[in-house]
Amino acid sequence: DCTFGGGGYSKELLKLPNIKVIALDRDKSAISRAKKLERDFPKHFTFYNEKFSNLEKVIKKGNKPDIIIFDLGLSTFQLQDYSRGFSFKSNEKIDMQMGLTSLSAEDVVNKSDENSLKLIIKIFGDEKEAAKIAKNIIKARKIKPITSVDELVAIIEKSKKKNYKKKINVCTKTFQALRIFVNKEVTELITGLIKATKLIKSGGKIIVVSFHSIE
């Protein structure tokens, strides 16, 4: 289980007979949730605080798994913890770090040049108005650094054309783009999948649950 999160997959799998589950998650907040399963299933469940790119560290030689699961994107726990800055409903700092990350969204917003910002938002968010959003971010940070989510939300809302028919929040694509860039999600996924194909048992299955076109 490459994306432990709240442990949904692992808990269901552990109901099956004669099974061993290895779980990993880059987010240290998952450790406490995993410890309960380790106590309940000491011989059948093991957890590692690791990224996809280090998959070989959690799979011992000669112990190849039958199934490797990737359930991509944010976990509910990450989204609902407003202090993490993933939700545009937050007024906390712009963080967006999933874990084992050296960069924050605040760094990206305040230190990237205008063209880099535009490309990040356009490529990773598929945002048509990326250029305008990037331009307005640069304007705003010349006055003062952009440090809170609500400040960034105000800039994005100001940059977007009003379309009241759309159900998706106008900030969704920019927030997605920043999160993907900060956590190197595309690189991690590609590396994780390549390693999974080498580590899985012959005839095994790799299952990927994805949510947007980049994935």
Side-chain angles (χ1 to χ4, degrees), residues 30-46:
I31 297 171
S32 59
R33 294 188 288 274
K35 280 191 182 300
K36 186 179 184 306
L37 280 186
E38 285 183 321
R39 286 193 298 270
D40 293 344
F41 302 92
K43 294 180 180 178
H44 298 275
F45 179 77
T46 313

Side-chain angles (χ1 to χ4, degrees), residues 133 136-137 140 146 150-159:
I133 293 167
N136 285 335
I137 286 172
I146 303 160
D150 50 354
E151 289 173 337
L152 180 59
V153 165
I155 295 165
I156 297 166
E157 287 177 342
K158 177 186 171 185
S159 309

